[in-house]
Amino acid sequence: AQKITQTQPGMFVQEKEAVTLDCTYDTSDPSYGLFWYKQPSSGEMIFLIYQGSYDQQNATEGRYSLNFQKARKSANLVISASQLGDSAMYFCAMRDTSGGYQKVTFGTGTKLQVIP
Amino acid sequence: GAVVSQHPSWVICKSGTSVKIECRSLDFQATTMFWYRQFPKQSLMLMATSNEGSKATYEQGVEKDKFLINHASLTLSTLTVTSAHPEDSSFYICSAREILALLAKNIQYFGAGTRLSVL
């Protein structure tokens, strides 16, 4: 079974609109962390936001917020007021303990394109 | 956020030669660093976990003798692709984990990546 699932290979959003990128995860580890990274065409991975499994509130970082629904095992990224510079690949990732050590697993990514 | 420097950003080499890629955490100490490989339009695949002062832990299917990892200090890990062949051409990205114990966060920051082309 996939540990991290991103079901949207590509998304379009109008500039200044909000967009939600989906992510579901699967783990039996009670302590885990969820991340979102942005990868522009240049290749670098830019950390956006983090949510711990025990965090009571949804994480927010500027225009980014994480809609964490623990019971549904989902961690969707919401980008508000989209900008042209938001066009990039977005990866959801999870850190949990597997095989005795901590490991981060990435989803397959969603390509977001912001339309002027 | 923390800064991870990766060098070189692009390397072209002849088949059979070895290539070394460096990964440095610039403003924090990283007891653990990670090496990933990414094929075009695909996700990141973890190759190995590099622990300072000990042997790296390789993922299944990754050849230890092919991809040599050294983590000699708390700020530097190196990946050496030995006897490189065209099929080793890929985008290699390192990351370092900053442990913020008080905040119970372990955040991985990434280098800018290295594009390796083997002719």
Side-chain angles (χ1 to χ4, degrees):
Chain A
Q2 291 288 332
K3 278 201 152 188
I4 292 283
T5 303
Q6 293 180 255
T7 57
Q8 306 152 315
M11 290 278 287
F12 288 92
V13 64
Q14 201 77 39
E15 193 178 6
K16 299 180 184 177
E17 296 292 311
V19 63
T20 298
L21 306 184
D22 295 341
C23 174
T24 57
Y25 60 92
D26 183 30
T27 182
S28 56
D29 188 352
S31 177
Y32 53 90
L34 297 157
F35 306 80
W36 277 92
Y37 289 89
K38 172 184 178 181
Q39 187 178 42
S41 56
S42 52
E44 74 268 31
M45 294 286 283
I46 302 167
F47 167 72
L48 296 178
I49 197 167
Y50 169 86
Q51 179 86 40
S53 58
Y54 295 120
D55 293 344
Q56 295 295 317
Q57 294 186 322
N58 287 344
T60 59
E61 291 285 348
R63 293 187 298 111
Y64 305 109
S65 60
L66 200 151
N67 184 0
F68 181 45
Q69 298 189 40
K70 197 169 182 177
R72 296 178 60 184
K73 292 190 175 180
S74 74
N76 299 338
L77 175 70
V78 180
I79 304 175
S80 62
S82 298
Q83 301 171 357
L84 295 178
D86 294 334
S87 295
M89 281 291 288
Y90 288 80
F91 289 96
C92 178
M94 177 178 68
R95 183 201 70 242
D96 67 349
T97 300
S98 172
Y101 65 99
Q102 285 195 341
K103 186 174 164 179
V104 175
T105 307
F106 285 81
T108 50
T110 296
K111 185 172 183 178
L112 176 67
Q113 291 184 269
V114 181
I115 306 166
Chain B
V3 178
V4 176
S5 172
Q6 186 172 341
H7 177 82
S9 57
W10 196 298
V11 59
I12 301 173
C13 69
K14 291 183 179 179
S15 185
T17 60
S18 294
V19 174
K20 181 187 278 189
I21 303 169
E22 291 188 350
C23 181
R24 295 179 185 272
S25 56
L26 295 187
D27 50 2
F28 67 102
Q29 293 184 329
T31 55
T32 306
M33 291 185 173
F34 305 87
W35 288 95
Y36 294 84
R37 184 172 180 175
Q38 186 180 29
F39 291 103
K41 299 184 180 180
Q42 293 190 25
S43 187
L44 278 70
M45 299 299 296
L46 179 65
M47 298 174 65
T49 302
S50 168
N51 301 296
E52 187 267 336
S54 65
K55 291 183 180 180
T57 303
Y58 289 82
E59 294 300 301
Q60 193 172 8
V62 178
E63 298 176 59
K64 300 178 184 181
D65 296 332
K66 175 75 171 174
F67 300 100
L68 299 180
I69 290 172
N70 184 279
H71 193 155
S73 76
L74 287 173
T75 59
L76 173 64
S77 176
T78 60
L79 168 68
T80 301
V81 183
T82 62
S83 187
H85 290 284
E87 57 266 29
D88 298 324
S89 298
S90 191
F91 189 59
Y92 294 87
I93 311 179
C94 74
S95 77
R97 186 165 66 197
E98 181 183 32
I99 296 176
L100 301 173
L102 292 178
L103 299 176
K105 285 186 179 183
N106 294 347
I107 301 205
Q108 278 188 220
Y109 294 97
F110 285 80
T114 298
R115 294 192 187 278
L116 171 63
S117 295
V118 185
L119 304 178

